[in-house]
Amino acid sequence: MALKALDIYKLLPKKNCKECGDPTCLTFAMKLAGGKADVDLCPYLDDEAKAVLGATTRPPIRRVKIGVGERAFGVGEEFVLYRHEKTFYHPPGILFKVSDTQSADEITQVTIRVRDESFTRVGTKLQFNGIAIENASGSKESFARAVATVEESADLPLVLISENPEALALALVQVGTYRPLIHAATQDNYKAMCALAKKHGCPMVIKADSLEGLVSLVKDCAAEGIQKLVIDVSPQTLGDFLVKSTAARQLAITRKVPELGYPVFLDTTKTGMQDAAIALGIVKYASVIVTNPLSPAQTKAALTLRQNIYTDPQKPIQMNPGLYRIGSPGKDAPVLMTVNFSLTFFTLEGYLESTRIPCFMLIVDTEGLSVLTSVAAGKLNETLVRDSLKKFGVENEVTHRNLIIPGYAAPLSGRIEEATGWKVMVGPRDAAEIGEYLYTEWKK
Amino acid sequence: MGFDLQFGWTGTVSEVVLGRTRAEGGTRSVSYRIGGGTTLPFLDTDRPSPSPLIAFECCDNPRIWSTIVRDYCGDLVNDPAEWAKTAETVYGADMVRLNLTSTKERNFSDVAALKKTVESVLSATTLPLIIEGSNEPKIDSEVFLACGEAGQGERLLLGTAEASRYRSIAAAALAYDHSVIAQSPIDINLAKQLNILLREIGVARDHIIIDPYTGALGYGFEYSFSAMERIRFSALKGDADLAMPMCCAPADSLTIKEVRDAPADARDEMAVQWEVYTSIAAAVAGAEIICVRHPRSVGVLKEAFAGLKSHSHSRTAEVR
Ligand code: B12
Ligand code: SF4
C-alpha cells in the first residue's frame, strides 16, 4: 500500500538540508508519496526507515541511468501498463551492436554513425543512443580492444556484453567510469558481476529464463548491495518476450512483485526478426533495445514509432500561436495561415524554407489539432482567424491584405473573407506543392 | 503460480467468419474464423494465438494508386484478376482486398463492369475477399448491391461503412449475407456508436469488423495505437458493442513525406518499413486483419506474426 506524504515525513530525518534536491523534507516526502523520487536520494535515512519506505515509495519501475555526459539516457520510472492511462515517460534507448570479431574499421564506422547521425521530426532530434559491444570472440584481450576502439571515436553510452567477468573486468579498466551497462549477471556468475558493478558503479543486466529466476537474482544482487539493475527475460520467441515483459510490467506497477520493478532489456539480434522485435520492444515495455545497425528506412520507421508511442496521446505536441517569419519577409511578403499542431507547422515550415521565398506564417490556436481535424471539429473558424490577425498585429507587418489558407480549409474561405476583410487565397491541400503555388499564384 | 498474467477479463471478442469454402456453400479454398480472443493479443498462453490475417490491397483502376506500388508491380496493376492471383500465389497473402477505385472517376456509372471485375477476381483467387466499394452516396446503393450479388455465398467483407454513410452497404450485406467494415475516425465512442447504428438496422455483431482508422506512423499513429488498445479492453471488459475484431489499413503510409521524399533506390524499402512497423504495433494493439499495399510487406509480416504467436508451439493448419 502506498503511504501518505505525512506518514512518510514522520520517517524522514527532518534536517531540511536540501541534499535530496528538494527544498525541505516535507516536499521530498510529497514526491516520495507520488512515486516521483527514490529514497536513496536522502543520505541521512536510517536503515529501518529505508526498509519501510524503499519498497512502497520508489517508482514502481526504478530509474536507471546509462552512460555519462550529453548522450547519457535514463530509463525506467514508468507508472502504467497502457499509455492511454497516463503516458510513457522514458523512451527506450536503441543501441547498435558490434562484435569483437569485427575489424577496428568496421567498429569505428558503426560508432561514428551512432555518434553523428540524426534526423529531426516535429522539431525533435531523433537519434540512436549508443553501442553494444559483444564478446563473441571469447578472448578478453579482443574484447578490451574492441571496447577501446569504440571509446576512441565517441563518448556514447555502452552496453558491454559478456558473461565472462574477467573479460568485463579488463574492459571496465578503460570505460568503467563512463557507467556502461554490463550484460549479464546470471545465477552462475552474479557474485563476480556484482563485484564489478560495485567497483565501477555501473548498472548491470541480470538474465534468467523465467521471471522467478529473475526475482531470485534480484534478491541475490540486493544482498551484494547492487540495485541499479536492468532485466533480461531471455526470450525464446517474440511471443515469449511479449508475455514475459507484460507480466513483469504488470507485477511491477501493481507492486505485487516489486523485485520485477526494473527496466527491461531486449537483444533483438537474437530473435531472427529485427524489425518485428524492435517494433514490439518499443510498444511493449523494452527500455534498452540492442539491434544490428539499421538501414535508413528501418532507422526512420523505428525512431518514428518510438517518438509516437512516447508522445502523450492526450496532448498533441503544440506550437505557440503567433506570427512566424521564414527568412526576412518584407511588407509585401505572403502571409500563410495554418494551425498550431506541431506536425503541421514543421511540415509546412520545411517546404516553405525550401522555396526560398521570405514569408510570414500565421499560426492560429486550434489547440494542437491538424488542419483537417480542426476543420472537421469546428475549431478552425473565421472568428479565430480574425482574432489571430488582430492579436498578432499582422496588419502592421504587411501592406497588402491577402491571406493564403490551407487547401483543406477551403470551405471556410468565404466566411473568413467576410469576417476579416482580407482577400482569401486558397492554397494547395498538400504543403509539398506550396513552392509551385507561390511561384505561380503569388508572384503573378 | 503467482507470475502468470492476471487481468480478470470477462468479455470475449466476437467471432467473424471470412469467406466460404465449397463445403460451406462458397468457392474459397479456405475460410477464416477470427476473433474469439479472451485476453490481449498474443498473451493467451493456454492455446495458440491466432495469427493476424494479411490482406493484400489491389484495385481496378490504378490511376489513383501509389506510384511506388505501380512501379513495383508493373503491368499487373492493370489486371485486377491477375494481380489478386499473384497476391495469393506469389506474395503469399491470406486475403485480397479489392478496391473499386474505378468508382472514383468522374461520372462513373458502369456498375455492370464492377460486377464483372468482382467475379473475375473471385475466380482468379481462392482466397476470401474484402471488397472496397464506392465512396459516393449517389452510387453507393447500386455499387454495393452489385458487389454483394457477385459474391453471393462467399461471405465477403464489404467496406467501408461510416457514420454518415452506412445504409447502402448494410443493405447489401444483409441481402447477400456478407460482413462489413465499420470505420470511425480514431475514436472509441464513435466506433461504438456506429456499431450500434449497424446493429439497429439489422447487421449482426458477428458480421462487423471495426476499423478504428489507422493514422500513418508519424501522422496520427500515436492516436490509432491507443484507440485500438482501448477498443480491445472494452471488448474484454464485456462491452458487446465494441467486441468485434479490428482491422488496420496503414494505407496513408504510402503518401507521407518520409516515403515520398525517399531516394528512388530506397523508396520501396521505406514504404515496406512504414507498413511493417505500423502493422506490427497495430497487431499487438489488437488488429486481426492487416491490409497492406506493398507486396514485400506481406512476407515480412507473415514471419513476424509467426514469431509473435508462438510461445514455442507450431502453426496449426485449419484452426484459425
Ligand atoms: C491524427 C488524427 C486525429 C487526431 C488528432 C490529431 C491532431 N493533433 O490533429 C484525433 C484522434 C484527436 C482526431 C480527432 C478527430 N478527427 Co481526425 N484525423 C487524424 C488523421 C489520421 C491525421 C491528421 C494529421 O495528423 N495529419 C497530418 C497534418 C500534418 O496534416 P494537416 O494539418 O492537414 O497539414 C497538411 C495540409 O493541410 C497542408 N497544410 C497545412 N497547413 C497549410 C497551410 C497552407 C497555407 C497550405 C497551402 C497548406 C497547408 O500541409 C500539411 C501536409 O500536407 C486524419 C486522417 C488523415 N489521413 O489526414 C483524421 C481526420 C482528419 N480526422 C477526421 C475527423 C472527422 C476527426 C473528428 C472530428 C472525429 C470526431 N467527430 O470526433 C475528431 C475531431 C477532434 C476533436 N473533436 O477534438 C476526419 C476529417 C474528415 C473530413 N474530411 O473533414 C479525418 C480525415 C479522418 C477520416 N477520414 O475520417 N483526428
Ligand atoms: S536530504 Fe533528507 S534530510 Fe535533507 S532535506 Fe532531503 S529528506 Fe530532508
Side-chain angles (χ1 to χ4, degrees), chain A residues 12-26 28-29 41-45:
Chain A
L12 295 179
K14 303 183 195 65
K15 287 167 171 280
N16 295 331
C17 68
K18 303 187 175 54
E19 283 180 44
C20 54
D22 267 282
T24 64
C25 295
L26 185 59
F28 185 60
L41 289 171
C42 171
Y44 305 108
L45 269 184

Side-chain angles (χ1 to χ4, degrees), chain B residues 46-62:
Chain B
D46 298 333
R47 48 171 210 160
S49 306
S51 223
L53 300 171
I54 304 163
F56 181 77
E57 299 206 48
C58 60
C59 65
D60 70 338
N61 178 343

Side-chain angles (χ1 to χ4, degrees), chain A residues 86-162:
Chain A
K86 204 169 187 175
T87 180
F88 291 172
Y89 290 99
H90 299 100
I94 304 182
L95 299 91
F96 281 178
K97 192 188 218 179
V98 296
S99 152
D100 63 0
T101 54
Q102 286 173 290
S103 73
D105 277 355
E106 283 174 296
I107 293 175
T108 305
Q109 239 175 38
V110 175
T111 309
I112 289 182
R113 210 188 129 190
V114 174
R115 186 188 70 188
D116 297 345
E117 190 176 292
S118 75
F119 68 98
T120 302
R121 273 200 90 258
V122 205
T124 307
K125 187 167 162 187
L126 304 184
Q127 56 190 165
F128 292 109
N129 304 80
I131 303 285
I133 306 147
E134 185 170 42
N135 181 205
S137 69
S139 140
K140 50 186 185 184
E141 288 78 17
S142 304
F143 189 50
R145 254 197 314 277
V147 171
T149 307
V150 172
E151 200 45 43
E152 269 160 31
S153 21
D155 299 330
L156 290 168
L158 304 177
V159 180
L160 307 181
I161 304 181
S162 175

Side-chain angles (χ1 to χ4, degrees), chain A residues 83 237 250 284 295 308 430, chain B residues 6 218 222 226 260 269 310:
Chain A
R83 60 196 279 282
T237 63
Q250 190 190 42
K284 289 292 167 182
S295 72
N308 272 186
D430 187 341
Chain B
Q6 308 270 331
E222 66 270 50
S226 285
R260 274 191 323 199
E269 207 209 335
S310 90

